[in-house]
Amino acid sequence: MSEHKVYKLDPVEVSDAWKEHAYIDNDKYLALYKESVEDPDTFWGREGQRLDWIKPYTRVKNSTFAYPDASIKWFEDGTLNVSANCTDRHLAKRADQTAIIWEPDDPETPAQHITYRELHDNVCRLANVLKAQGVKRGDRVTIYLPMIPAAAYAMLACARIGAIHSIVFGGFSPDSLAGRVEDCKSAVIITSDEGRRGGRSVPLKANADAAADKSGHVEKILVVRHTGGDIPWTEGRDIWLDEAMAEASPDCPPEEMNAEDPLFILYTSGSTGAPKGVVHCSGGYLVYTSMTHQYVFDYHDGDVYWCTADVGWVTGHSYIVYGPLANGATTLMFEGVPNYPDASRFWQVVDKHNVSIFYTAPTAIRALMGAGDDYVKSTSRKSLRLLGSVGEPINPEAWEWYYHVIGEMRCPIVDTWWQTETGGVLITPLPGATKLKPGSATRPFFGVQPALVDSEGSMIEGPGQGNLVILDSWPSMMRTVYGDHKRFVDTYFSAYKGMYFTGDGCRRDEDDYYWITGRVDDVINVSGHRMGTAEVESALVAHPKVSEAAAVGFPHDIKGQGIYCYVTLMAGEHEIDTLKKELRDWVRNEIGPIAAPDHIQFAPGLPKTRSGKIMRRILRKIAEDEYGNLGDTSTLADPTVVSHLIENRQNRR
Ligand code: ATP
Ligand code: MG
């Protein structure tokens, strides 16, 4: 199934310039990788030194994946403070260096440059405000903020006093917010008057009020003054954060935390079901995110690094805030969206701030590709030297567009596979070491031991396709599901004994490169042939008129399952029936007759999570004719998309 044309694009060799410039070349990768898995205590004992420890660790790794006793500990007798590692320790050298560039939603509003000294000052003041409100180490604080610097201040302020933050994406409804507040029992919410996205205001404070009423748990709401819009106010409960911070002391000694003390809780994005409260801890998490940020993105002093994720997702935690700030980097925070005021916005921001490293998601790449090249060509993008992708398999066609049109063949693409649960990137190219193959996340990062198993749990050796598992622990992996350790071991360690199960399907090729084929739950089984969704979708996206596609299985009398595809066309293309036939023939030709879609439905929009991932679970229900029972849809970005799809469903009986 893997022989079709879209996977036959030529590999991209590492250029000589990159080999010289990057931290890691291929020989170094191979040697260090070997050490990292054969002698993890030495490897990680050394890497742990990238942080400042209060009490140095003497034990490095202590973990087991055994079911049901799985337990993960790293650097367990060491103590440190995460916020001190992201701020205080940079002050000697970098006090006046920009830590955060803030680019607002509206291009007319001036950007802000926050230095490490200002960051430190704000974090300490906010930490003192939290203390004054009675927040103590171990308490949970919910953060419900737009993409503004205060989000980073709030995270680091919690870390400073040992409180555990739980960030809820600002696009979530009061109900979703209330559910997450309830789950972790947090008495404090930090929010802002409003948020601003794509020119529209988001009523964050009003939503927080509604959530507080619903949960009955919330004692204090700290409010960032952001847009200045009118908001409801409850005396005694609500506090303006700017006023409280102005009065607070800028001196707040960091709390001494154990490496294994929780740093944050984060709920997964909910592509497959109800979100889980993933718990990440202090020491191992920061060692790993700092190391991957440096090597995967090849971050050097002077780079301007931009990750377009929201801090409400793990990518924002690890690669906007913690990894970059631990490294003393300059990290850009963008309040807006890719297509406002128009589809040039990302590239205009790149030019405005001389961004050299750019990290985004396939959903954005496909949407911008669909809008056409003119929006790109009007910008320079000369400052760019590295591009990254995360969140879903990147279709080879979208990869090629990113590489040729955005990066002008100058910028390697790091396709980083990882999960909320993994804390940091696990499978990825290293730009100075790895030959790139469009659509493949390529090879494991240091210390990561991926493997493929069949449905019985037998190991697949050599090239093949199966379920992706990881054989041993790495420092930034989740430690538990908040308040439900049994759910943790059952979800990740029960399917294949002694292994961490990722839930993803994967193919390994003859070069030992890994290709994520989609979620295991989404695999389509046509007459006994198991097909990853990514394969069919990538074939469709390779057609010049298609910008995005989603494939799901539906019950079929003869084949067991048939293939049902939802297709979004490029801007300006018409939804005509002859095109459906053309697309069916196209897939047949690209992959083979077995993969030819039974039904194609044109879809101007696909149901996505708020982080932009296609929710095939819902598309499957629609194709199966079961739309009375769509399951948990609380994480859907735009529920109206669903009713439109139901109306236009193809295989009505
Ligand atoms: P839930 O676990 O609640 O169903 P989710 O899996 O979407 O939601 P995340 O942790 O945000 O939550 O996403 C991780 C998943 O995203 C991975 O398991 C994988 O399916 C997909 N993914 C992330 N990066 C890549 C990538 N580079 N290539 C392919 N797939 C990726
Ligand atoms: Mg998941």
Side-chain angles (χ1 to χ4, degrees):
M1 202 52 58
S2 50
E3 296 308 310
H4 63 85
K5 294 180 199 156
V6 284
Y7 291 100
K8 283 286 179 193
L9 295 163
D10 288 338
V12 175
E13 299 287 347
V14 182
S15 73
D16 289 344
W18 264 94
K19 279 184 205 155
E20 273 163 37
H21 176 269
Y23 294 104
I24 313 273
D25 62 19
N26 197 43
D27 291 343
K28 210 163 168 188
Y29 168 76
L30 295 173
L32 282 174
Y33 181 77
K34 188 167 185 302
E35 184 197 36
S36 72
V37 298
E38 286 176 2
D39 187 3
D41 282 342
T42 301
F43 181 91
W44 291 109
R46 190 173 66 234
E47 273 309 318
Q49 300 302 316
R50 58 173 52 244
L51 301 185
D52 281 2
W53 297 83
I54 299 170
K55 179 169 152 278
Y57 49 86
T58 65
R59 294 198 72 173
V60 177
K61 174 171 181 275
N62 178 13
S63 66
T64 167
F65 281 3
Y67 180 81
D69 305 311
S71 142
I72 294 105
K73 293 192 175 112
W74 283 85
F75 311 107
E76 62 187 295
D77 59 352
T79 65
L80 78 169
N81 183 280
V82 166
S83 119
N85 272 283
C86 292
T87 58
D88 306 52
R89 71 167 172 151
H90 301 313
L91 293 181
K93 249 182 72 187
R94 306 179 186 276
D96 297 318
Q97 182 201 308
T98 300
I100 299 175
I101 300 175
W102 180 65
E103 175 63 30
D105 182 52
D106 177 1
E108 302 299 317
T109 308
Q112 289 174 16
H113 291 76
I114 294 119
T115 64
Y116 271 96
R117 182 185 289 113
E118 291 163 336
L119 175 65
H120 178 260
D121 183 90
N122 280 301
V123 169
C124 290
R125 287 175 191 272
L126 211 164
N128 280 327
V129 172
L130 288 172
K131 275 200 208 163
Q133 296 309 321
V135 178
K136 302 179 304 298
R137 76 189 270 155
D139 288 351
R140 277 80 52 214
V141 172
T142 297
I143 300 175
Y144 183 61
L145 283 173
M147 285 290 288
I148 54 177
Y153 307 158
M155 294 163 80
L156 294 171
C158 289
R160 195 159 192 93
I161 64 173
I164 304 167
H165 60 72
S166 162
I167 305 192
V168 179
F169 171 56
F172 275 127
S173 66
D175 277 0
S176 307
L177 175 60
R180 287 159 175 76
V181 165
E182 234 356 67
D183 187 75
C184 71
K185 309 222 167 351
S186 94
V188 174
I189 299 179
I190 305 178
T191 189
S192 68
D193 45 12
E194 294 173 318
R196 198 80 93 193
R197 267 168 77 82
R200 284 184 306 213
S201 330
V202 188
L204 293 178
K205 172 62 166 61
N207 288 352
D209 285 1
D213 290 347
K214 204 171 151 89
S215 102
H217 219 88
V218 177
E219 291 162 21
K220 293 288 169 195
I221 301 187
L222 309 182
V223 187
V224 178
R225 206 184 302 269
H226 177 44
T227 65
D230 269 347
I231 53 166
W233 197 258
T234 303
E235 283 304 331
R237 183 196 65 184
D238 301 347
I239 295 167
W240 281 115
L241 202 53
D242 56 347
E243 293 169 7
M245 280 170 69
E247 283 163 21
S249 158
D251 180 35
C252 178
E255 193 77 14
E256 180 172 354
M257 305 303 290
N258 184 272
E260 284 297 318
D261 281 333
L263 176 64
F264 63 84
I265 302 165
L266 180 61
Y267 295 85
T268 55
S269 54
S271 304
T272 51
K276 302 165 274 282
V278 168
V279 175
H280 281 292
C281 292
S282 306
Y285 173 81
L286 200 64
V287 169
Y288 195 85
T289 51
S290 153
M291 183 182 184
T292 44
H293 173 260
Q294 181 185 351
Y295 292 155
V296 174
F297 300 106
D298 194 56
Y299 185 87
H300 287 76
D301 271 350
D303 273 318
V304 175
Y305 164 87
W306 180 16
C307 163
T308 70
D310 191 282
V311 287
W313 314 122
V314 72
T315 309
H317 284 63
S318 301
Y319 298 113
I320 295 177
V321 177
Y322 288 117
L325 295 179
N327 290 342
T330 298
T331 180
L332 192 148
M333 224 175 166
F334 176 48
E335 186 185 25
V337 295
N339 57 358
Y340 174 81
D342 65 38
S344 285
R345 182 70 163 127
F346 271 0
W347 324 121
Q348 286 166 354
V349 174
V350 164
D351 287 349
K352 177 172 175 187
H353 297 292
N354 278 312
V355 172
S356 50
I357 303 168
F358 178 78
Y359 188 30
T360 196
T363 182
I365 298 167
R366 290 189 301 252
L368 296 175
M369 182 173 81
D373 294 3
D374 289 351
Y375 290 108
V376 185
K377 298 270 164 67
S378 62
T379 62
S380 151
R381 290 157 286 109
K382 262 204 204 59
S383 55
L384 288 175
R385 63 179 192 87
L386 180 78
L387 302 172
S389 170
V390 62
E392 291 181 292
I394 176 166
N395 318 100
E397 187 72 14
W399 194 103
E400 290 278 304
W401 185 81
Y402 200 25
Y403 184 70
H404 288 278
V405 181
I406 302 304
E408 294 175 333
M409 299 175 68
R410 180 180 69 242
C411 310
I413 295 177
V414 289
D415 175 3
T416 63
W417 174 85
W418 59 298
Q419 311 178 295
T420 309
E421 294 89 336
T422 69
V425 170
L426 295 199
I427 304 182
T428 179
L430 295 178
T434 314
K435 185 174 74 177
L436 307 172
K437 298 190 190 182
S440 172
T442 75
R443 304 187 291 189
F445 192 74
F446 303 120
V448 175
Q449 299 181 57
L452 304 182
V453 294
D454 64 20
S455 48
E456 269 75 58
S458 305
M459 203 73 90
I460 296 167
E461 306 290 345
Q465 190 160 334
N467 302 321
L468 179 64
V469 295
I470 313 287
L471 301 180
D472 203 351
S473 82
W474 60 97
S476 69
M477 76 182 289
M478 73 183 287
R479 302 301 198 251
T480 189
V481 170
Y482 188 77
D484 196 351
H485 194 68
K486 186 169 180 313
R487 188 169 176 204
F488 173 62
V489 289
D490 285 347
T491 307
Y492 303 103
F493 301 98
S494 69
Y496 306 109
K497 299 294 182 292
M499 306 171 192
Y500 168 86
F501 179 41
T502 64
D504 286 345
C506 187
R507 185 163 72 79
R508 188 172 46 220
D509 73 12
E510 59 291 349
D511 292 328
D512 279 341
Y513 274 34
Y514 289 84
W515 302 70
I516 306 298
T517 54
R519 320 266 176 168
V520 169
D521 297 346
D522 292 336
V523 164
I524 308 172
N525 192 333
V526 182
S527 311
H529 296 268
R530 293 168 64 78
M531 239 173 301
T533 49
E535 295 186 275
V536 183
E537 292 163 7
S538 290
L540 284 164
V541 173
H543 189 281
K545 292 183 180 161
V546 175
S547 92
E548 186 150 48
V552 298
F554 72 99
H556 189 287
D557 291 343
I558 299 158
K559 301 192 267 189
Q561 271 191 318
I563 303 179
Y564 192 113
C565 297
Y566 301 83
V567 170
T568 308
L569 297 179
M570 296 279 188
E573 296 298 339
H574 298 292
E575 301 183 348
I576 44 175
D577 278 345
T578 49
L579 181 54
K580 286 188 186 169
K581 175 162 186 322
E582 188 180 324
L583 293 177
R584 203 168 296 135
D585 292 344
W586 172 271
V587 176
R588 182 194 306 271
N589 193 28
E590 290 282 315
I591 311 183
I594 193 79
D598 296 272
H599 294 287
I600 290 180
Q601 174 173 348
F602 292 123
L606 295 170
K608 293 188 179 168
T609 64
R610 284 160 212 261
S611 53
K613 295 167 196 263
I614 298 171
M615 276 170 101
R616 291 180 195 75
R617 177 169 62 81
I618 290 182
L619 292 171
R620 196 161 50 230
K621 292 277 185 198
I622 297 174
E624 283 171 356
D625 214 356
E626 292 227 357
Y627 31 81
N629 171 26
L630 293 179
D632 181 10
T633 53
S634 64
T635 58
L636 261 181
D638 177 6
T640 61
V641 166
V642 174
S643 39
H644 188 272
L645 290 174
I646 291 173
E647 262 167 49
N648 293 302
R649 190 173 156 280
Q650 297 301 299
N651 54 339
R652 288 189 194 286
R653 280 162 214 173

